[in-house]
Amino acid sequence: MSEEQHDHYFTARPASADERRTITVPIAGRSRTVEVARGVFSPDRIDQGTSVLLQHAPAPPPTGTFLDLGCGWGPVALTLALRSPDATVWAVDVNERALDLTRRNAEALGANGIHASTAAEVPSATTYDLIWSNPPIRVGKAVLHELLRTWLPRLAPGGVAHLVVQRNLGSDSLQRWLADELGDAYEVARLTSVKGFRILQVRRRP
């Protein structure tokens, strides 16, 4: 197996060569040029799940504190920041190369509200009015559940999360787990289903 095959996007420091290149993708209603590299999630395009999330989740509010959980090179965070320029957008990832790409893309596109950080760098008291995520299902159920158990309770009262999950990778069982795990303080529902992907909605009651 090659070095690149070992080089998972959820590695903190990818082993593959950090060879940067640019691609043009649709973000916030326009074609935009962004920087990508190997060793991050979906380095050739906006993956289908993220595209479903960006196209079918309700528009973000004009301001507030938002979270892109598992930001990769930044398509979700960039979309949120460009649509809501008065918002603060935390872009969180374990992958340092991904965070660097998100910072560079935010600067190039004038998305000034983005803070690209590891989880440890985010102030623990921060709460979120909106969370968008294409969560890393392939890290395994235990790690995924711990990730969601950590971040979803940081929704502010009345805040909402939208998670895109492929149906055949367990979206329905994840929806049931979320409802059981989070309890009556949250409403968990399937917002929509598009091209084999579900968008799950988690709303914290006011």
Side-chain angles (χ1 to χ4, degrees), residues 152-165:
L152 291 178
R154 297 192 188 186
L155 282 170
V160 63
H162 293 117
L163 315 174
V164 65
V165 183

Side-chain angles (χ1 to χ4, degrees), residues 95-120:
N95 186 318
E96 294 177 1
R97 186 177 299 172
L99 293 172
D100 183 62
L101 288 166
T102 296
R103 294 185 193 107
R104 291 171 64 89
N105 288 329
E107 182 177 5
L109 297 180
N112 299 320
I114 292 178
H115 303 275
S117 307
T118 64

Side-chain angles (χ1 to χ4, degrees), residues 126-181:
T126 304
T127 60
Y128 304 97
D129 304 292
L130 183 68
I131 297 174
W132 278 9
S133 182
N134 181 356
I137 299 296
R138 296 184 188 279
V139 297
K141 187 176 292 186
V143 175
L144 175 67
H145 285 181
E146 185 58 30
L147 186 73
L148 298 176
R149 193 182 283 122
T150 297
W151 292 97
L152 291 178
R154 297 192 188 186
L155 282 170
V160 63
H162 293 117
L163 315 174
V164 65
V165 183
Q166 197 167 349
R167 179 179 56 80
N168 64 9
L169 290 181
S171 62
D172 294 345
S173 61
L174 182 61
Q175 181 180 342
R176 292 189 295 271
W177 178 84
L178 287 168
D180 291 340
E181 176 70 21

